[in-house]
Amino acid sequence: ETCQTIYMRRYRYMLWTRRPRELALQIAFFRSILTTLDAMHARGVIHGDLTPGNICYDSSSRLVLIDFANCHFSDDDKDSKMDIACAEGYSPPEEYASPAMDIWAFGCIVVFTVFGMPLRYWKRAAVIDPLIDSLTQRALELDPARRATAAELLAMLPSLH
């Protein structure tokens, strides 16, 4: 299936009207993103522009990441500056491509999903749930070498059956 043949609903627009408010739905959403990132990173692919606008669902409600125009491969030179610009509000503090940049963007998406605001307006004191606090702390670690991987964040999520 290609993006042209899949019925897509962009998550960004769903957030304004139907943002998942129950923790169980948020966890399922986060699990879908992290599972996708974990598989990509295992294959050396870095999305490079992960935002709510690049998260879609197909007609079977499966999560699909789109817009790989800024993707990098982990064998690229990590010390070189990024020649692309990440979306405002989702770019990490470091200036090179690595899987950690996708994790930073994931942390920003967690904040946006749970609190309905971009990271720059969010106050950590606003965290209500310990799981959300842990996810954001590990995903938004300033040092990319200490930032959690997608697999580590997935392991933090409780299984929902």
Side-chain angles (χ1 to χ4, degrees), residues 11-29:
Y11 186 70
R12 176 180 55 201
Y13 302 112
M14 292 172 50
L15 277 178
W16 297 114
T17 57
R18 299 186 330 214
R19 184 165 47 97
R21 303 207 189 279
E22 297 89 26
L23 184 60
L25 292 175
Q26 292 170 348
I27 289 171
F29 174 64

Side-chain angles (χ1 to χ4, degrees), residues 77-129:
D77 182 10
K78 292 185 181 185
D79 294 328
S80 66
K81 299 283 184 188
M82 288 188 291
D83 58 352
I84 51 95
C86 298
E88 182 181 347
Y90 296 90
S91 59
E94 66 268 18
E95 296 182 11
Y96 56 88
S98 73
M101 75 184 297
D102 287 341
I103 300 302
W104 178 274
F106 168 78
C108 295
I109 290 169
V110 170
V111 169
F112 191 68
T113 301
V114 174
F115 301 102
M117 66 183 71
L119 180 64
R120 68 177 172 255
Y121 299 122
W122 177 63
K123 306 283 187 244
R124 185 172 292 280
V127 173
I128 298 168
D129 186 85

Side-chain angles (χ1 to χ4, degrees), residues 134-141 146-148 152-153 156:
S134 295
L135 277 177
T136 55
Q137 278 188 328
R138 298 291 317 277
L140 297 173
E141 166 65 46
R146 295 183 55 210
R147 200 171 298 149
E152 291 168 341
L153 293 174
M156 294 171 59

